């Protein structure tokens, strides 16, 4: 084999080695985000989300999960230094906080249309809402944000409209939603839900019967009183859209 041929083969081997190493470096260092909330056009069986609410100076944050197929859900929420636990099982809401020593207040609420809600999660009817409300659309990678300016409803006191933002993923599925506005007295109101997963297992059981105090519709105010300040944050403002 001639010297030129040997040099050519050596050069090709070195080039192949360099390209291989370069490819491995790129693969390891590529942290490009991808859409992890894919539903492939099917209604989800479960959904988990992070909740943030702010009203009358009181902030509430926590995580929730809902099973569309089991008629059940749960939330663990933090507000003003305490933890509020909520469960919904088969048409009954159970609510407790850290100060109740394991006691739960139960309120029969009935069964909402969870299948209809699951359909809205896989593909919300943006076009229907846009027919009556001004909308702007922005894109960020696979996410599409639909911003609506709500001109009617009580969440626009002092003449200011409320802003609703629905963010969808690459398949049109809901990834987040937020609502912001102002109520009488100039208090800002914020509510946001950010989906953290779809179709992860969600199992929620009712509390033991011995720990439940049955409540009627007239006891709804007592639900808010379980957490100091929650009544003023959520019940003391006329919020609506």
């Amino acid at each position: 084999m001639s010297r030129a041929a040997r040099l050519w083969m050596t050069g090709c081997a070195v080039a192949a080695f360099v390209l291989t190493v370069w490819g491995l470096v790129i693969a390891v260092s590529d942290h490009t985000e991808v859409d992890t909330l894919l539903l492939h056009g099917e209604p989800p069986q479960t959904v988990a989300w992070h909740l943030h609410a702010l009203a009358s100076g009181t902030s509430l944050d926590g995580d929730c999960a809902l099973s569309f197929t089991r008629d059940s859900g749960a939330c663990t929420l933090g507000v003003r230094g305490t933890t509020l636990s909520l469960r919904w099982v088969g048409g009954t809401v159970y609510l407790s906080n850290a100060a109740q020593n394991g006691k739960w207040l139960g309120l029969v609420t009935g069964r909402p249309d969870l299948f209809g809600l699951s359909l809205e999660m896989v593909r919300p009817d943006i076009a229907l809402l846009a027919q009556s409300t001004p909308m702007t659309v922005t894109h960020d990678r696979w996410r599409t944000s639909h911003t609506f300016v709500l001109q009617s409803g009580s969440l626009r006191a002092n003449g200011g409209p409320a802003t609703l933002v629905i963010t969808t993923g690459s398949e049109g599925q809901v990834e987040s939603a937020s609502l912001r506005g102002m109520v009488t007295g100039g208090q800002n109101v914020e509510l946001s839900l950010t989906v953290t997963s779809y179709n992860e297992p969600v199992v929620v059981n009712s509390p033991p019967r011995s720990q439940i105090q049955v409540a009627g519709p007239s006891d709804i105010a007592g639900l808010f009183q379980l957490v100091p300040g929650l009544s003023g944050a959520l019940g003391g403002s006329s919020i609506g859209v």
Side-chain angles (χ1 to χ4, degrees), residues 97-186:
N97 74 341
Q100 288 184 278
N101 297 320
K103 295 296 183 180
W104 295 79
L105 184 62
L107 177 67
V108 177
T109 59
R111 298 172 183 264
D113 180 12
L114 291 185
F115 179 69
L117 178 59
S118 69
L119 292 178
E120 288 297 319
M121 300 301 292
V122 69
R123 189 170 292 277
D125 198 344
I126 300 292
L128 181 61
L129 185 58
Q131 288 179 1
S132 58
T133 306
M135 179 184 72
T136 57
V137 178
T138 57
H139 301 280
D140 180 13
R141 289 166 293 176
W142 69 86
R143 298 185 181 94
T144 301
S145 295
H146 310 80
T147 302
F148 302 89
V149 179
L150 307 177
Q151 301 291 350
S152 61
S154 59
L155 188 59
R156 55 175 210 84
N158 303 325
T163 302
L164 171 66
V165 180
I166 300 174
T167 300
T168 56
S170 58
E171 298 176 333
Q173 78 279 14
V174 174
E175 294 204 347
S176 66
S178 65
L179 179 66
R180 294 178 179 173
M182 185 178 292
V183 296
T184 303

Side-chain angles (χ1 to χ4, degrees), residues 64-65 73-77 84-88 93-96 104 204:
C64 303
C75 289
T76 302
L77 307 171
L84 176 67
S85 298
L86 182 150
R87 299 181 190 178
W88 179 74
V93 171
Y94 304 97
L95 187 65
S96 181
W104 295 79
V204 182

Side-chain angles (χ1 to χ4, degrees), residues 35-48:
D35 189 350
T36 60
L37 299 174
L38 301 178
L39 291 173
H40 308 293
E42 296 294 329
Q45 294 186 1
T46 68
V47 61

